[in-house]
Amino acid sequence: MYPYTYICNAVNECVIASISNAKPLEMSNRFRACGFLIFRRSPAPEMLLLCFSRSREWAPPKGCQDPGESDLETAYRETWEESGIKEHEIRHHSTFEYNISYPHKGSTKRVTFYLGEVENNVRITLSNEHRDFEWLSFDKAISQAIYDELRKLYANAREFITKM
């Protein structure tokens, strides 16, 4: 039997909940997250990282997919909820997409990141999920990342941007 299932709580964090007679979940939106790697060209490219309220982790805006949403809709919504950046403020570079998979609470979580460019003066308004934000050079973000997959994401985005 499978005594656990995953749910997304009110702030779109994936959490585990115990229920009796639960069936195994296939890859559902509860194991799916999407976001934007936001950058600006000020004067050298910098990326936006957000610091979570309950940890010292820094990462791009991302979150769980709601039922019926496309991956891109999730990325736009999560970026707006977490950073205050609205869809019309993001120039989506549609030829860049980066997927990460990692173990998450007994299953595999898949995260898709898109690349989005904003104006240098875009206003950031943090949600209660985050306590701070910072614009970092790609090199600094790569050196400070605590996960290999994030370092690879940042390096791939840096290479993509330099070839634009």
Side-chain angles (χ1 to χ4, degrees), residues 1-7 15-25 31 105:
M1 300 309 288
Y2 298 88
Y4 299 101
T5 189
Y6 291 85
I7 60 171
V15 295
I16 193 167
S18 175
I19 60 171
S20 60
N21 299 322
K23 295 183 180 178
L25 295 176
F31 299 111
K105 297 181 180 179

Side-chain angles (χ1 to χ4, degrees), residues 69-145:
E69 278 186 325
S70 71
D71 291 354
L72 193 56
E73 288 170 333
T74 300
Y76 279 119
R77 178 183 53 76
E78 285 292 338
T79 300
W80 172 71
E81 288 177 0
E82 295 186 359
S83 71
I85 300 173
K86 298 174 183 75
E87 181 175 345
H88 73 271
E89 296 175 298
I90 300 171
R91 179 175 170 222
H92 173 213
H93 293 278
S94 60
T95 56
F96 182 93
E97 183 177 311
Y98 193 87
N99 293 289
I100 295 173
S101 294
Y102 57 90
H104 180 71
K105 297 181 180 179
S107 189
T108 301
K109 187 167 189 173
R110 292 184 318 145
V111 183
T112 298
F113 283 101
Y114 299 98
L115 186 63
E117 184 175 353
V118 295
E119 295 295 323
N120 287 343
N121 62 351
V122 71
R123 181 178 174 176
I124 306 299
T125 305
L126 296 176
S127 71
N128 62 355
E129 292 179 57
H130 298 90
R131 60 184 161 119
D132 203 1
F133 72 92
E134 197 167 345
W135 291 99
L136 295 176
S137 71
F138 279 80
D139 289 339
K140 187 169 185 180
I142 290 167
S143 70
Q144 289 185 201

